[in-house]
């Protein structure tokens, strides 16, 4: 990796916990932050409990930081007021604080839900217009746009990871297309912090699943080569759901449930 001092937001979450374990041994200094408390700090890790919605808190968090791995915020759909405070205002505060502090790069956990209204039969790349499926998806699309603005206007680089379903294992028909293993999720973050120049790159976050509705050729410069595959779980998933209703939005749209 080309950065020594990393801020990880959302560090107490499901993916944040995976990232803390993997980032700490590979960097000089890791500052992990979350609104929830954390334990078991690594020797080179500082843990800070903070609310991302506050610009002053964000300014403290980014002090002496080279790159940010931003996995913080609300991770499900919610009322617009909540999403607005945390995922929009909080996001903007973090970028503004990062710009002022001279942070070089941000790896942003965007989501399938920024494009969730595309049909599962369509193959899309990163150049298609966003089609959010929820308040949560609107905030992710906002985040990608803000990242683009900060690159164009201020030279602050971002890799926006449009993460599908990053879970210990795939468990639904949709996951056969959207699943992203934790190892592949880590590979995406590691590549995003290693490649010398990314500008603002949008990449789809899925493992090497045979069924896929995403084309990552526009992000080929990241050198992301997923190793895992949801295909290994096909029998299990078909047995649990032998006759999916094709009319149901969950089985029709890329965003699944969030589009309901
Ligand atoms: C997401 O963006 C959510 O954070 C996660 O909890 C899953 O629901 C995932 O999308 C998904 O759509 O599978």
């Amino acid at each position: 990796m080309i950065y020594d001092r990393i801020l990880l937001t959302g560090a107490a979450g499901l993916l944040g916990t995976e990232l803390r374990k993997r980032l700490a041994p590979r960097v000089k200094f890791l500052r992990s932050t979350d609104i929830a408390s954390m334990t078991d700090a690594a020797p080179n890790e500082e843990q800070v409990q903070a609310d991302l919605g506050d610009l002053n808190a964000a300014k403290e968090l980014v002090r002496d930081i080279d790159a940010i791995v931003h996995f913080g915020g609300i991770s499900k759909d919610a009322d617009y007021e909540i999403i607005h405070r945390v995922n929009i205002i909080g996001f903007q505060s973090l970028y503004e604080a990062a710009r002022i502090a001279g942070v070089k790069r941000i790896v942003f956990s965007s989501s399938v839900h920024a494009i969730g209204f595309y049909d599962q039969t369509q193959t899309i790349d990163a150049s298609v217009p966003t089609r959010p499926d929820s308040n949560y998806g609107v905030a992710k699309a906002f985040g990608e746009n803000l990242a683009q603005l900060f690159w164009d206007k201020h030279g602050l680089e971002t890799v926006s990871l449009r993460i599908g379903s990053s879970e210990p294992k795939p468990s639904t028909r949709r996951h056969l297309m959207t699943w992203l293993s934790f190892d592949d999720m880590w590979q995406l973050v590691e590549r995003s912090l290693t490649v010398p120049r990314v500008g603002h790159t949008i990449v789809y976050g899925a493992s090497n699943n045979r069924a896929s509705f995403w084309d990552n050729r526009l992000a080929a410069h990241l050198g992301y080569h997923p190793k895992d595959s949801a295909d290994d779980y096909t029998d299990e998933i078909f047995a649990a759901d032998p006759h999916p209703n094709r009319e149901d939005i969950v089985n029709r749209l890329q965003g699944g449930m969030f589009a309901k």
Side-chain angles (χ1 to χ4, degrees):
M1 291 195 298
I2 55 179
Y3 301 106
D4 279 339
R5 301 179 61 87
I6 305 277
L7 169 68
L8 171 65
T9 72
L14 178 69
L15 303 186
T17 303
E18 288 297 317
L19 290 172
R20 270 185 63 211
K21 287 196 291 228
R22 296 163 196 243
L23 277 167
R26 291 171 174 92
V27 296
K28 257 196 201 134
F29 172 73
L30 175 64
R31 182 173 294 140
S32 297
T33 184
D34 203 293
I35 199 155
S37 62
M38 289 159 280
T39 51
D40 305 326
N44 60 340
E45 183 187 21
E46 180 186 306
Q47 298 181 336
V48 185
Q49 208 171 343
D51 181 352
L52 280 181
D54 173 356
L55 180 59
N56 287 328
K59 282 183 173 159
E60 283 301 309
L61 288 171
V62 300
R63 191 192 298 267
D64 300 325
I65 287 296
D66 301 323
I68 302 173
V69 179
H70 178 45
F71 275 58
I74 308 283
S75 63
K76 297 258 178 250
D77 200 18
D79 287 345
Y80 183 72
E81 288 65 31
I82 299 172
I83 294 282
H84 182 249
R85 192 181 77 77
V86 182
N87 290 15
I88 293 187
I89 305 280
F91 190 90
Q92 211 276 339
S93 301
L94 188 71
Y95 266 73
E96 185 55 13
R99 180 190 70 77
I100 294 166
V103 170
K104 309 279 182 306
R105 188 174 294 180
I106 299 182
V107 182
F108 162 44
S109 64
S110 184
S111 166
V112 51
H113 299 293
I115 47 82
F117 252 98
Y118 283 97
D119 203 276
Q120 292 185 3
T121 58
Q122 282 174 285
T123 300
I124 56 172
D125 67 13
S127 69
V128 299
T130 52
R131 285 182 77 179
D133 57 23
S134 50
N135 294 331
Y136 171 76
V138 167
K140 294 296 185 186
F142 168 85
E144 291 182 4
N145 273 318
L146 197 85
Q148 185 67 46
L149 173 69
F150 272 67
W151 163 241
D152 288 335
K153 202 171 237 180
H154 308 298
L156 171 52
E157 293 193 304
T158 295
V159 180
S160 293
L161 312 176
R162 281 189 185 160
I163 296 177
S165 309
S166 196
E167 304 193 2
K169 60 181 244 184
S171 57
T172 67
R173 290 267 186 163
R174 179 173 158 273
H175 286 170
L176 289 171
M177 293 158 276
T178 59
W179 186 58
L180 174 68
S181 71
F182 289 157
D183 282 352
D184 288 337
M185 185 271 299
W186 163 247
Q187 189 195 141
L188 270 173
V189 171
E190 193 269 338
R191 296 308 305 157
S192 302
L193 293 172
T194 300
V195 171
R197 190 146 175 94
V198 297
H200 176 219
T201 297
I202 296 174
V203 60
Y204 289 98
S207 281
N208 186 23
N209 311 326
R210 196 178 44 223
S212 171
F213 28 70
W214 296 327
D215 174 347
N216 257 339
R217 275 176 294 185
L218 291 173
H221 54 282
L222 290 182
Y224 168 59
H225 299 294
K227 301 272 184 284
D228 295 316
S229 174
D231 302 356
D232 302 340
Y233 300 85
T234 307
D235 292 348
E236 222 174 281
I237 289 171
F238 275 47
D241 184 13
H243 307 295
N245 173 5
R246 295 282 168 211
E247 300 306 308
D248 190 340
I249 268 182
V250 174
N251 297 313
R252 263 197 317 110
L253 298 181
Q254 299 192 5
M257 276 300 280
F258 281 53
K260 275 211 162 176

